[in-house]
Amino acid sequence: MHMDSFDKLYLDQLKDAYNAEKQLVKAIPKMVKSATSPELRTALEDHLEVTRRHVERLEEIFQDMGKPASGKTCKGMSGIIEEGQEILQEDGDPVVIDAGIIAAAQRVEHYEIAAYGTLRTYANQLGLKDHAQLLQTTLDEEGNTDKLLTRIAESRVNRDAEVR
């Protein structure tokens, strides 16, 4: 893509976010399978459904733009997922692994918070108020997931992992 307009930059960033979400739809079930904390497992399962809605929202934006819903490989998310997979392959205390899963999941959330904050700002700048609202909804959901993961970590998982 020839990056010669703000519109093209916006589209490029949408494609990146779309691919990131598609990667997560495949990666989250592996995290669910490895998690032993029932609360963490539930949070991850719930977020998988939320992630699918993120994909749908992005598809709605692409449709509104008259563009095909397609992604470009999001190398940032690929790297974050790859790092997260390392903890899933470790042998060790399941509670410690759960703490590592939370750390990996929060890296994902922080990356997405940055991406969706930027996209929302771009949509506002371009006068795309409907897009901005959809992106803000996703941004809010990503922030809520990050806060939930923090609560799970601080209320039980990290403390349990520390005493092992």
Side-chain angles (χ1 to χ4, degrees), residues 8-164:
K8 287 182 181 178
L9 177 61
Y10 177 59
L11 179 60
D12 180 72
Q13 294 299 300
L14 286 168
K15 289 180 176 192
D16 192 74
Y18 185 71
N19 178 262
E21 295 289 9
K22 296 290 255 183
Q23 288 183 54
L24 287 171
V25 167
K26 293 177 184 175
I28 293 172
K30 296 172 187 172
M31 296 169 81
V32 170
K33 185 177 178 183
S34 295
T36 58
S37 160
E39 190 177 13
L40 176 57
R41 180 174 272 152
T42 298
L44 292 169
E45 288 170 342
D46 291 349
H47 194 63
L48 177 58
E49 292 309 311
V50 170
T51 300
R52 289 184 175 123
R53 287 197 305 271
H54 297 168
V55 170
E56 291 169 3
R57 279 190 206 114
L58 288 167
E59 289 171 346
E60 185 178 336
I61 290 170
F62 282 117
Q63 184 177 18
D64 183 64
M65 295 174 72
K67 302 290 184 183
S70 64
K72 67 170 203 165
T73 301
C74 179
K75 295 174 186 172
M77 187 59 73
S78 295
I80 292 169
I81 289 172
E82 186 177 324
E83 282 187 3
Q85 296 295 338
E86 291 175 8
I87 192 73
L88 302 182
Q89 296 168 359
E90 291 290 333
D91 290 324
D93 187 305
V95 177
V96 176
I97 300 297
D98 281 352
I101 289 170
I102 291 171
Q106 286 193 291
R107 283 186 188 93
V108 166
E109 294 311 310
H110 292 192
Y111 186 86
E112 289 183 300
I113 288 166
Y116 283 107
T118 298
L119 282 167
R120 186 243 7 248
T121 300
Y122 286 3
N124 277 325
Q125 181 70 33
L126 292 166
L128 302 169
K129 300 300 178 199
D130 291 343
H131 294 195
Q133 285 181 316
L134 291 170
L135 295 163
Q136 183 63 54
T137 299
T138 299
L139 179 59
D140 292 343
E141 290 170 350
E142 300 295 9
N144 290 338
T145 298
D146 181 51
K147 288 176 186 142
L148 174 60
L149 290 167
T150 296
R151 278 196 306 274
I152 293 168
E154 291 177 349
S155 69
R156 178 170 208 101
V157 172
N158 289 356
R159 279 197 313 246
D160 289 351
E162 181 185 22
V163 298
R164 300 295 176 154

